[in-house]
Coordinates of all heavy atoms in Angstrom, one line a residue:
M1 N -51.1 5.6 -44.3 CA -51.4 5.1 -43.0 C -52.5 5.9 -42.3 O -52.5 7.2 -42.5 CB -50.1 5.2 -42.1 CG -50.2 4.6 -40.8 SD -48.7 4.6 -39.8 CE -47.4 4.0 -40.9
V2 N -53.4 5.3 -41.7 CA -54.6 6.0 -41.1 C -54.4 5.9 -39.5 O -54.1 4.9 -39.0 CB -55.9 5.3 -41.4 CG1 -57.0 5.9 -40.7 CG2 -56.0 5.3 -42.9
F3 N -54.4 7.1 -38.9 CA -54.4 7.2 -37.5 C -55.7 7.4 -36.9 O -56.5 8.3 -37.3 CB -53.4 8.3 -37.0 CG -52.0 8.1 -37.4 CD1 -51.4 8.7 -38.5 CD2 -51.2 7.3 -36.5 CE1 -50.1 8.4 -38.8 CE2 -49.9 7.0 -36.8 CZ -49.3 7.6 -38.0
K4 N -56.1 6.5 -36.0 CA -57.4 6.6 -35.3 C -57.2 7.2 -33.9 O -56.2 6.8 -33.3 CB -58.1 5.3 -35.3 CG -58.4 4.7 -36.6 CD -59.1 3.4 -36.5 CE -59.4 2.8 -37.9 NZ -60.1 1.5 -37.8
P5 N -58.1 8.0 -33.5 CA -58.0 8.5 -32.1 C -58.1 7.3 -31.1 O -58.8 6.4 -31.3 CB -59.1 9.4 -32.0 CG -60.1 9.1 -33.0 CD -59.3 8.4 -34.1
Q6 N -57.4 7.5 -30.0 CA -57.5 6.5 -28.9 C -58.8 6.5 -28.3 O -59.4 7.6 -28.1 CB -56.4 6.7 -27.8 CG -55.0 6.4 -28.3 CD -54.1 6.6 -27.1 OE1 -54.3 7.3 -26.2 NE2 -53.0 5.8 -27.1
R7 N -59.3 5.3 -28.0 CA -60.6 5.2 -27.3 C -60.4 4.4 -26.0 O -59.6 3.5 -26.0 CB -61.6 4.5 -28.2 CG -61.9 5.4 -29.5 CD -62.8 4.6 -30.5 NE -64.0 4.4 -29.8 CZ -65.0 3.6 -30.4 NH1 -64.8 3.1 -31.6 NH2 -66.1 3.4 -29.8
F8 N -61.1 4.8 -25.1 CA -61.1 4.1 -23.8 C -59.8 4.2 -23.1 O -59.4 3.3 -22.3 CB -61.5 2.6 -23.9 CG -62.7 2.4 -24.7 CD1 -62.7 1.8 -26.0 CD2 -63.9 2.7 -24.1 CE1 -63.9 1.6 -26.7 CE2 -65.1 2.5 -24.9 CZ -65.1 2.0 -26.1
H9 N -59.0 5.3 -23.4 CA -57.7 5.4 -22.7 C -58.0 5.8 -21.3 O -58.6 6.7 -20.9 CB -57.0 6.5 -23.4 CG -55.6 6.7 -23.0 ND1 -54.6 5.7 -23.2 CD2 -55.0 7.7 -22.3 CE1 -53.5 6.1 -22.6 NE2 -53.7 7.3 -22.1
D10 N -57.4 5.1 -20.4 CA -57.5 5.2 -18.9 C -58.9 5.1 -18.4 O -59.2 5.6 -17.3 CB -56.9 6.6 -18.5 CG -55.4 6.6 -18.7 OD1 -54.7 5.6 -18.5 OD2 -54.8 7.7 -19.0
E11 N -59.7 4.5 -19.1 CA -61.1 4.3 -18.6 C -61.2 2.8 -18.3 O -60.8 1.9 -19.1 CB -62.2 4.7 -19.6 CG -62.2 6.1 -19.9 CD -63.2 6.5 -21.0 OE1 -64.1 5.7 -21.3 OE2 -63.1 7.6 -21.5
K12 N -62.0 2.5 -17.3 CA -62.2 1.0 -17.0 C -63.3 0.6 -17.9 O -64.3 1.3 -18.1 CB -62.6 0.9 -15.5 CG -61.5 1.2 -14.5 CD -61.9 0.8 -13.1 CE -60.7 1.1 -12.3 NZ -61.0 0.8 -10.9
P13 N -63.2 -0.7 -18.4 CA -64.3 -1.3 -19.2 C -65.6 -1.4 -18.4 O -65.6 -1.7 -17.2 CB -63.7 -2.6 -19.7 CG -62.7 -3.0 -18.7 CD -62.1 -1.7 -18.2
V14 N -66.7 -1.3 -19.1 CA -68.0 -1.5 -18.5 C -68.5 -2.8 -19.0 O -68.6 -3.1 -20.2 CB -69.0 -0.4 -18.9 CG1 -70.3 -0.6 -18.4 CG2 -68.4 1.0 -18.5
V15 N -68.9 -3.6 -18.0 CA -69.4 -4.9 -18.3 C -70.9 -4.8 -18.6 O -71.7 -4.4 -17.7 CB -69.2 -5.9 -17.1 CG1 -69.8 -7.3 -17.4 CG2 -67.7 -6.1 -16.8
E16 N -71.3 -5.1 -19.8 CA -72.7 -5.0 -20.2 C -73.5 -6.3 -19.8 O -74.6 -6.2 -19.5 CB -72.8 -4.7 -21.7 CG -72.2 -3.4 -22.0 CD -72.3 -3.0 -23.5 OE1 -72.8 -3.9 -24.3 OE2 -71.8 -2.0 -23.9
L17 N -72.8 -7.4 -19.9 CA -73.5 -8.6 -19.7 C -72.5 -9.6 -19.1 O -71.4 -9.8 -19.6 CB -74.0 -9.3 -21.0 CG -74.7 -10.6 -20.9 CD1 -76.0 -10.5 -20.1 CD2 -75.1 -11.1 -22.3
E18 N -72.8 -10.1 -17.9 CA -71.9 -11.0 -17.2 C -72.6 -12.4 -17.1 O -73.7 -12.5 -16.7 CB -71.6 -10.5 -15.8 CG -70.5 -11.2 -15.1 CD -70.0 -10.5 -13.9 OE1 -70.0 -9.2 -13.9 OE2 -69.7 -11.2 -12.9
H19 N -71.8 -13.4 -17.5 CA -72.3 -14.8 -17.4 C -71.7 -15.4 -16.2 O -70.5 -15.3 -15.9 CB -71.9 -15.6 -18.7 CG -72.5 -15.0 -19.9 ND1 -73.8 -15.2 -20.2 CD2 -72.0 -14.3 -20.9 CE1 -74.1 -14.6 -21.4 NE2 -73.0 -14.1 -21.8
D20 N -72.5 -16.2 -15.5 CA -72.1 -16.9 -14.3 C -71.1 -18.0 -14.8 O -71.3 -18.6 -15.9 CB -73.2 -17.6 -13.6 CG -74.1 -16.5 -12.9 OD1 -73.6 -15.4 -12.6 OD2 -75.3 -16.8 -12.6
N21 N -70.2 -18.4 -13.9 CA -69.3 -19.5 -14.2 C -70.0 -20.8 -14.1 O -70.5 -21.2 -13.0 CB -68.1 -19.4 -13.3 CG -67.0 -20.4 -13.6 OD1 -67.1 -21.1 -14.6 ND2 -66.0 -20.5 -12.8
Q22 N -70.1 -21.5 -15.2 CA -70.9 -22.8 -15.2 C -69.9 -24.0 -15.0 O -70.4 -25.1 -14.8 CB -71.5 -23.0 -16.6 CG -72.5 -21.9 -17.0 CD -73.6 -21.7 -16.0 OE1 -74.2 -22.7 -15.5 NE2 -74.0 -20.5 -15.7
E23 N -68.6 -23.8 -14.9 CA -67.7 -24.9 -14.8 C -67.9 -25.7 -13.6 O -67.8 -26.9 -13.7 CB -66.3 -24.3 -14.9 CG -65.2 -25.3 -15.0 CD -64.7 -25.7 -13.6 OE1 -64.8 -24.9 -12.7 OE2 -64.2 -26.9 -13.4
P24 N -68.1 -25.2 -12.4 CA -68.3 -26.0 -11.2 C -69.5 -27.0 -11.3 O -69.3 -28.2 -11.0 CB -68.6 -25.1 -10.1 CG -67.9 -23.8 -10.5 CD -68.1 -23.8 -12.0
L25 N -70.6 -26.6 -11.9 CA -71.7 -27.5 -12.1 C -71.4 -28.6 -13.1 O -71.7 -29.7 -13.0 CB -73.0 -26.7 -12.4 CG -74.3 -27.5 -12.4 CD1 -74.5 -28.3 -11.1 CD2 -75.5 -26.6 -12.8
E26 N -70.8 -28.1 -14.2 CA -70.5 -29.1 -15.3 C -69.5 -30.1 -14.8 O -69.7 -31.3 -15.0 CB -69.8 -28.3 -16.5 CG -70.8 -27.5 -17.3 CD -70.1 -26.8 -18.4 OE1 -68.9 -26.8 -18.5 OE2 -70.8 -26.0 -19.1
T27 N -68.5 -29.7 -14.0 CA -67.5 -30.6 -13.4 C -68.2 -31.6 -12.5 O -67.9 -32.8 -12.5 CB -66.4 -29.8 -12.7 OG1 -65.8 -29.0 -13.7 CG2 -65.4 -30.8 -12.2
A28 N -69.1 -31.1 -11.6 CA -69.7 -32.0 -10.7 C -70.6 -33.0 -11.4 O -70.5 -34.2 -11.0 CB -70.6 -31.1 -9.7
V29 N -71.3 -32.6 -12.4 CA -72.1 -33.6 -13.1 C -71.2 -34.6 -13.9 O -71.5 -35.8 -13.8 CB -73.0 -32.9 -14.2 CG1 -73.7 -33.8 -15.1 CG2 -74.1 -32.1 -13.4
A30 N -70.2 -34.1 -14.6 CA -69.3 -35.0 -15.3 C -68.6 -36.0 -14.3 O -68.5 -37.2 -14.6 CB -68.3 -34.2 -16.0
R31 N -68.2 -35.5 -13.1 CA -67.6 -36.4 -12.1 C -68.5 -37.5 -11.7 O -68.2 -38.7 -11.6 CB -67.0 -35.5 -11.0 CG -66.3 -36.4 -10.0 CD -65.7 -35.6 -8.8 NE -64.7 -34.7 -9.4 CZ -64.6 -33.4 -9.3 NH1 -65.6 -32.7 -8.6 NH2 -63.7 -32.7 -9.8
Q32 N -69.8 -37.1 -11.4 CA -70.7 -38.1 -11.0 C -71.0 -39.1 -12.0 O -71.2 -40.3 -11.7 CB -72.1 -37.4 -10.6 CG -72.1 -36.9 -9.1 CD -71.7 -37.9 -8.1 OE1 -70.8 -37.8 -7.4 NE2 -72.6 -39.0 -8.0
L33 N -71.1 -38.7 -13.3 CA -71.4 -39.7 -14.4 C -70.1 -40.6 -14.5 O -70.3 -41.8 -14.8 CB -71.6 -38.9 -15.7 CG -72.9 -38.2 -15.8 CD1 -73.0 -37.4 -17.0 CD2 -74.0 -39.3 -15.9
A34 N -68.9 -40.1 -14.3 CA -67.7 -40.9 -14.5 C -67.6 -42.0 -13.4 O -67.1 -43.0 -13.7 CB -66.5 -40.0 -14.5
I35 N -68.0 -41.6 -12.2 CA -67.7 -42.6 -11.1 C -68.9 -43.5 -10.8 O -68.8 -44.4 -10.0 CB -67.3 -41.8 -9.8 CG1 -68.4 -40.9 -9.3 CG2 -66.0 -41.1 -10.0 CD1 -68.1 -40.3 -7.9
S36 N -70.1 -43.2 -11.4 CA -71.3 -44.0 -11.1 C -71.2 -45.4 -11.8 O -70.7 -45.5 -12.9 CB -72.5 -43.3 -11.6 OG -72.6 -42.1 -10.8
Q37 N -71.8 -46.3 -11.2 CA -71.9 -47.7 -11.7 C -73.1 -47.7 -12.7 O -74.0 -47.0 -12.6 CB -72.1 -48.7 -10.6 CG -71.0 -48.7 -9.6 CD -69.7 -49.3 -10.2 OE1 -69.7 -50.2 -11.0 NE2 -68.6 -48.7 -9.8
G38 N -73.0 -48.6 -13.7 CA -74.1 -48.8 -14.6 C -74.0 -48.1 -15.9 O -74.9 -48.3 -16.7
I39 N -73.1 -47.2 -16.1 CA -73.0 -46.5 -17.4 C -71.5 -46.3 -17.8 O -70.7 -46.2 -16.9 CB -73.7 -45.1 -17.4 CG1 -73.0 -44.1 -16.4 CG2 -75.2 -45.2 -17.0 CD1 -73.5 -42.7 -16.6
D40 N -71.3 -46.2 -19.0 CA -70.0 -45.8 -19.6 C -70.1 -44.4 -20.1 O -70.6 -44.1 -21.1 CB -69.6 -46.8 -20.7 CG -68.3 -46.3 -21.4 OD1 -67.6 -45.6 -20.8 OD2 -68.0 -46.8 -22.5
A41 N -69.6 -43.4 -19.2 CA -69.8 -42.0 -19.5 C -68.7 -41.4 -20.4 O -68.7 -40.2 -20.6 CB -69.9 -41.2 -18.2
S42 N -67.9 -42.2 -21.0 CA -66.7 -41.7 -21.8 C -67.2 -41.0 -23.1 O -66.4 -40.3 -23.6 CB -65.8 -42.9 -22.1 OG -66.4 -43.9 -22.9
R43 N -68.4 -41.3 -23.5 CA -68.9 -40.7 -24.8 C -70.0 -39.7 -24.5 O -70.8 -39.5 -25.4 CB -69.3 -41.8 -25.8 CG -68.1 -42.6 -26.2 CD -68.6 -43.7 -27.1 NE -69.6 -44.5 -26.6 CZ -70.1 -45.6 -27.0 NH1 -69.6 -46.1 -28.1 NH2 -71.0 -46.3 -26.4
I44 N -70.1 -39.1 -23.3 CA -71.1 -38.1 -23.0 C -70.5 -36.8 -22.8 O -69.4 -36.6 -22.2 CB -71.8 -38.5 -21.7 CG1 -72.5 -39.9 -21.8 CG2 -72.8 -37.4 -21.3 CD1 -73.2 -40.3 -20.6
S45 N -71.1 -35.8 -23.4 CA -70.6 -34.4 -23.3 C -71.6 -33.7 -22.3 O -72.8 -33.8 -22.5 CB -70.6 -33.7 -24.6 OG -70.3 -32.3 -24.5
V46 N -71.1 -32.9 -21.4 CA -71.9 -32.2 -20.4 C -71.7 -30.7 -20.5 O -70.6 -30.2 -20.6 CB -71.6 -32.6 -18.9 CG1 -72.3 -31.8 -17.9 CG2 -71.7 -34.1 -18.7
T47 N -72.9 -30.0 -20.7 CA -72.8 -28.5 -20.7 C -73.9 -28.0 -19.8 O -75.0 -28.5 -19.8 CB -73.1 -28.0 -22.2 OG1 -72.2 -28.7 -23.1 CG2 -72.9 -26.5 -22.3
A48 N -73.5 -26.9 -19.1 CA -74.5 -26.3 -18.2 C -74.9 -24.9 -18.7 O -74.1 -24.2 -19.2 CB -73.9 -26.2 -16.8
S49 N -76.1 -24.5 -18.4 CA -76.6 -23.2 -18.7 C -77.6 -22.9 -17.5 O -78.7 -23.3 -17.5 CB -77.4 -23.1 -20.0 OG -77.9 -21.8 -20.2
G50 N -77.0 -22.1 -16.6 CA -77.8 -21.9 -15.4 C -77.9 -23.2 -14.6 O -76.9 -23.8 -14.3
T51 N -79.1 -23.6 -14.3 CA -79.3 -24.8 -13.5 C -79.8 -26.0 -14.5 O -80.2 -27.0 -14.0 CB -80.4 -24.6 -12.4 OG1 -81.6 -24.2 -13.0 CG2 -79.9 -23.6 -11.4
T52 N -79.7 -25.7 -15.8 CA -80.1 -26.7 -16.8 C -78.8 -27.4 -17.3 O -77.9 -26.7 -17.7 CB -80.8 -26.1 -17.9 OG1 -82.0 -25.4 -17.5 CG2 -81.2 -27.1 -19.0
I53 N -78.8 -28.7 -17.4 CA -77.7 -29.5 -17.9 C -78.1 -30.1 -19.3 O -79.2 -30.6 -19.4 CB -77.4 -30.7 -17.0 CG1 -76.9 -30.2 -15.6 CG2 -76.3 -31.6 -17.6 CD1 -75.6 -29.4 -15.7
F54 N -77.2 -29.9 -20.2 CA -77.4 -30.5 -21.6 C -76.5 -31.7 -21.7 O -75.3 -31.5 -21.5 CB -77.1 -29.4 -22.6 CG -78.0 -28.2 -22.6 CD1 -77.6 -27.1 -21.9 CD2 -79.3 -28.3 -23.1 CE1 -78.4 -26.0 -21.8 CE2 -80.1 -27.1 -23.1 CZ -79.7 -26.0 -22.4
L55 N -77.0 -32.8 -22.0 CA -76.2 -34.0 -22.3 C -76.3 -34.4 -23.7 O -77.4 -34.3 -24.3 CB -76.7 -35.2 -21.5 CG -76.7 -35.1 -19.9 CD1 -77.3 -36.3 -19.3 CD2 -75.3 -34.8 -19.4
S56 N -75.1 -34.8 -24.3 CA -75.1 -35.2 -25.7 C -74.1 -36.4 -25.8 O -73.2 -36.5 -25.0 CB -74.8 -34.1 -26.7 OG -73.5 -33.6 -26.4
G57 N -74.3 -37.2 -26.8 CA -73.4 -38.3 -26.9 C -74.1 -39.6 -27.2 O -75.3 -39.6 -27.6
S58 N -73.4 -40.7 -26.9 CA -74.1 -42.0 -27.1 C -73.8 -43.0 -26.0 O -72.7 -42.9 -25.3 CB -73.6 -42.6 -28.5 OG -72.2 -42.9 -28.4
L59 N -74.7 -43.9 -25.7 CA -74.6 -44.9 -24.7 C -75.0 -46.2 -25.3 O -75.5 -46.3 -26.4 CB -75.5 -44.5 -23.5 CG -75.1 -43.3 -22.7 CD1 -76.1 -42.9 -21.7 CD2 -73.8 -43.6 -22.0
L60 N -74.8 -47.3 -24.6 CA -75.0 -48.6 -25.1 C -76.5 -49.0 -25.3 O -76.9 -49.6 -26.2 CB -74.3 -49.7 -24.3 CG -72.8 -49.6 -24.3 CD1 -72.2 -50.6 -23.3 CD2 -72.2 -49.7 -25.7
D61 N -77.3 -48.6 -24.3 CA -78.7 -48.9 -24.4 C -79.6 -47.9 -23.7 O -79.1 -47.0 -23.0 CB -79.0 -50.4 -24.0 CG -78.5 -50.6 -22.6 OD1 -78.6 -49.7 -21.7 OD2 -78.1 -51.8 -22.3
E62 N -80.9 -48.1 -23.8 CA -81.9 -47.2 -23.2 C -81.7 -47.1 -21.6 O -82.0 -46.1 -21.0 CB -83.3 -47.5 -23.5 CG -83.7 -47.2 -24.9 CD -83.8 -45.7 -25.2 OE1 -84.1 -45.0 -24.3 OE2 -83.5 -45.3 -26.4
S63 N -81.4 -48.3 -21.0 CA -81.2 -48.3 -19.6 C -80.1 -47.4 -19.1 O -80.2 -46.8 -18.0 CB -81.1 -49.7 -19.1 OG -79.8 -50.3 -19.5
E64 N -79.0 -47.3 -19.9 CA -77.9 -46.4 -19.5 C -78.4 -44.9 -19.6 O -77.9 -44.1 -18.9 CB -76.7 -46.6 -20.5 CG -75.9 -47.8 -20.1 CD -74.5 -47.9 -20.7 OE1 -74.3 -47.0 -21.6 OE2 -73.7 -48.7 -20.3
I65 N -79.2 -44.6 -20.6 CA -79.7 -43.3 -20.7 C -80.5 -42.9 -19.5 O -80.4 -41.8 -18.9 CB -80.5 -43.1 -22.1 CG1 -79.6 -43.2 -23.3 CG2 -81.2 -41.7 -22.1 CD1 -80.2 -43.2 -24.6
D66 N -81.4 -43.8 -19.1 CA -82.3 -43.6 -17.9 C -81.4 -43.4 -16.7 O -81.6 -42.6 -15.8 CB -83.2 -44.7 -17.8 CG -84.3 -44.8 -18.9 OD1 -84.5 -43.7 -19.6 OD2 -84.9 -45.9 -19.1
R67 N -80.3 -44.2 -16.6 CA -79.5 -44.2 -15.4 C -78.7 -42.9 -15.4 O -78.5 -42.2 -14.4 CB -78.5 -45.4 -15.5 CG -77.4 -45.4 -14.4 CD -78.0 -45.8 -13.1 NE -77.0 -45.9 -12.1 CZ -77.0 -45.3 -10.9 NH1 -78.0 -44.7 -10.5 NH2 -76.0 -45.4 -10.1
A68 N -78.2 -42.4 -16.6 CA -77.5 -41.1 -16.7 C -78.4 -39.9 -16.2 O -78.0 -39.1 -15.5 CB -77.0 -40.9 -18.1
I69 N -79.6 -39.9 -16.6 CA -80.6 -38.9 -16.3 C -80.8 -38.9 -14.7 O -80.8 -37.9 -14.1 CB -81.9 -39.0 -17.0 CG1 -81.6 -38.7 -18.5 CG2 -83.0 -38.1 -16.5 CD1 -82.8 -39.0 -19.4
E70 N -81.0 -40.1 -14.2 CA -81.2 -40.3 -12.8 C -79.9 -39.7 -12.0 O -80.1 -39.0 -11.0 CB -81.4 -41.8 -12.5 CG -81.5 -42.1 -11.0 CD -81.6 -43.6 -10.9 OE1 -82.4 -44.3 -11.6 OE2 -80.9 -44.2 -10.0
I71 N -78.8 -40.0 -12.4 CA -77.5 -39.6 -11.8 C -77.4 -38.0 -11.9 O -77.1 -37.4 -10.8 CB -76.3 -40.2 -12.5 CG1 -76.2 -41.7 -12.2 CG2 -75.0 -39.5 -12.0 CD1 -75.3 -42.5 -13.0
V72 N -77.7 -37.5 -13.0 CA -77.6 -36.0 -13.2 C -78.6 -35.3 -12.3 O -78.3 -34.3 -11.7 CB -77.7 -35.6 -14.6 CG1 -77.8 -34.1 -14.8 CG2 -76.6 -36.2 -15.5
L73 N -79.8 -35.8 -12.2 CA -80.8 -35.1 -11.4 C -80.5 -35.2 -9.9 O -81.0 -34.4 -9.1 CB -82.2 -35.8 -11.6 CG -82.9 -35.4 -12.9 CD1 -84.2 -36.2 -13.1 CD2 -83.2 -33.9 -12.9
A74 N -79.6 -36.1 -9.5 CA -79.2 -36.2 -8.1 C -78.1 -35.2 -7.7 O -77.8 -35.0 -6.5 CB -78.8 -37.6 -7.8
V75 N -77.5 -34.6 -8.7 CA -76.4 -33.6 -8.4 C -77.0 -32.3 -7.9 O -77.9 -31.8 -8.5 CB -75.6 -33.4 -9.7 CG1 -74.6 -32.3 -9.4 CG2 -74.9 -34.6 -10.1
P76 N -76.5 -31.8 -6.7 CA -77.1 -30.6 -6.2 C -76.9 -29.4 -7.2 O -75.8 -29.3 -7.8 CB -76.2 -30.3 -4.9 CG -75.7 -31.7 -4.6 CD -75.5 -32.4 -5.9
G77 N -77.9 -28.6 -7.4 CA -77.9 -27.5 -8.3 C -78.5 -27.7 -9.6 O -78.8 -26.8 -10.4
V78 N -78.8 -29.0 -10.0 CA -79.4 -29.3 -11.2 C -80.9 -29.3 -11.1 O -81.5 -30.0 -10.2 CB -78.9 -30.7 -11.8 CG1 -79.7 -31.1 -13.0 CG2 -77.4 -30.7 -12.0
E79 N -81.6 -28.5 -11.9 CA -83.0 -28.5 -11.9 C -83.7 -29.0 -13.1 O -84.9 -29.5 -13.0 CB -83.5 -27.0 -11.7 CG -83.1 -26.4 -10.3 CD -83.5 -25.0 -10.1 OE1 -84.3 -24.5 -11.0 OE2 -83.1 -24.4 -9.2
K80 N -83.0 -29.1 -14.2 CA -83.6 -29.5 -15.5 C -82.5 -30.2 -16.3 O -81.4 -29.8 -16.3 CB -84.2 -28.3 -16.2 CG -84.9 -28.7 -17.5 CD -85.5 -27.4 -18.1 CE -86.0 -27.8 -19.5 NZ -86.5 -26.6 -20.2
I81 N -82.9 -31.2 -17.1 CA -82.0 -31.8 -18.0 C -82.6 -31.8 -19.4 O -83.8 -32.1 -19.6 CB -81.7 -33.3 -17.6 CG1 -81.1 -33.4 -16.3 CG2 -80.9 -34.0 -18.6 CD1 -80.9 -34.8 -15.7
T82 N -81.8 -31.5 -20.4 CA -82.1 -31.7 -21.8 C -81.1 -32.6 -22.3 O -79.9 -32.3 -22.1 CB -82.1 -30.3 -22.5 OG1 -83.0 -29.4 -21.9 CG2 -82.5 -30.4 -24.0
H83 N -81.5 -33.6 -23.1 CA -80.5 -34.5 -23.6 C -80.7 -34.8 -25.1 O -81.8 -34.8 -25.6 CB -80.4 -35.8 -22.8 CG -81.5 -36.7 -23.0 ND1 -81.5 -37.7 -24.0 CD2 -82.6 -36.9 -22.3 CE1 -82.6 -38.4 -24.0 NE2 -83.3 -38.0 -22.9
D84 N -79.6 -35.2 -25.7 CA -79.6 -35.7 -27.1 C -78.7 -36.9 -27.1 O -77.8 -37.0 -27.8 CB -79.1 -34.6 -28.1 CG -79.1 -35.0 -29.5 OD1 -80.0 -35.9 -29.8 OD2 -78.3 -34.5 -30.3
L85 N -79.0 -37.8 -26.2 CA -78.3 -39.1 -26.1 C -78.8 -40.1 -27.0 O -80.0 -40.3 -27.1 CB -78.4 -39.6 -24.6 CG -77.7 -38.7 -23.5 CD1 -78.1 -39.2 -22.2 CD2 -76.2 -38.6 -23.7
Q86 N -77.9 -40.7 -27.7 CA -78.3 -41.8 -28.7 C -77.9 -43.1 -28.2 O -76.9 -43.2 -27.5 CB -77.5 -41.5 -30.0 CG -77.7 -40.1 -30.5 CD -79.0 -39.8 -31.2 OE1 -79.6 -40.7 -31.7 NE2 -79.5 -38.6 -31.0
V87 N -78.5 -44.2 -28.7 CA -78.2 -45.5 -28.4 C -77.3 -46.0 -29.6 O -77.6 -45.8 -30.7 CB -79.4 -46.4 -28.3 CG1 -78.9 -47.9 -28.2 CG2 -80.2 -46.0 -27.1
G88 N -76.1 -46.5 -29.2 CA -75.2 -46.9 -30.3 C -73.8 -47.0 -30.0 O -73.0 -46.7 -29.3

């Protein structure tokens, strides 16, 4: 059996890198896509990184992709969209 000395005993951890919580923006975008007319958002995945939204999934046609981008850009806090949306 190997005994290792205790480390960080009674010391508070130091945060080296802290990420902002992206969940509120992702939720707002997903909610807007879900309630908007003109698209079926059930096959779209939404991920946020800062003020950039990443969309992936598939929609029925090109007009739905254009509509989804329009909806996402209207959400407060979104500055940029990157998508990998497919027709199919």
Side-chain angles (χ1 to χ4, degrees):
M1 190 178 308
V2 176
F3 290 99
K4 295 182 180 180
Q6 285 185 334
R7 297 174 61 186
F8 309 111
H9 187 66
D10 291 328
E11 294 178 18
K12 292 185 179 183
V14 176
V15 178
E16 294 179 2
L17 179 64
E18 189 169 324
H19 297 285
D20 292 334
N21 185 3
Q22 302 299 320
E23 187 268 333
L25 185 58
E26 288 176 0
T27 301
V29 169
R31 182 175 295 125
Q32 276 305 118
L33 288 170
I35 64 173
S36 294
Q37 299 293 323
I39 64 167
D40 176 15
S42 62
R43 296 181 302 193
I44 298 177
S45 175
V46 177
T47 307
S49 178
T51 58
T52 301
I53 296 294
F54 299 95
L55 299 176
S56 61
S58 61
L59 292 169
L60 295 177
D61 56 34
E62 287 291 329
S63 66
E64 281 194 349
I65 293 174
D66 294 338
R67 177 76 177 130
I69 292 170
E70 177 184 315
I71 291 165
V72 173
L73 284 173
V75 175
V78 175
E79 293 181 8
K80 182 180 174 186
I81 296 175
T82 301
H83 76 84
D84 184 25
L85 296 171
Q86 309 284 328
V87 174

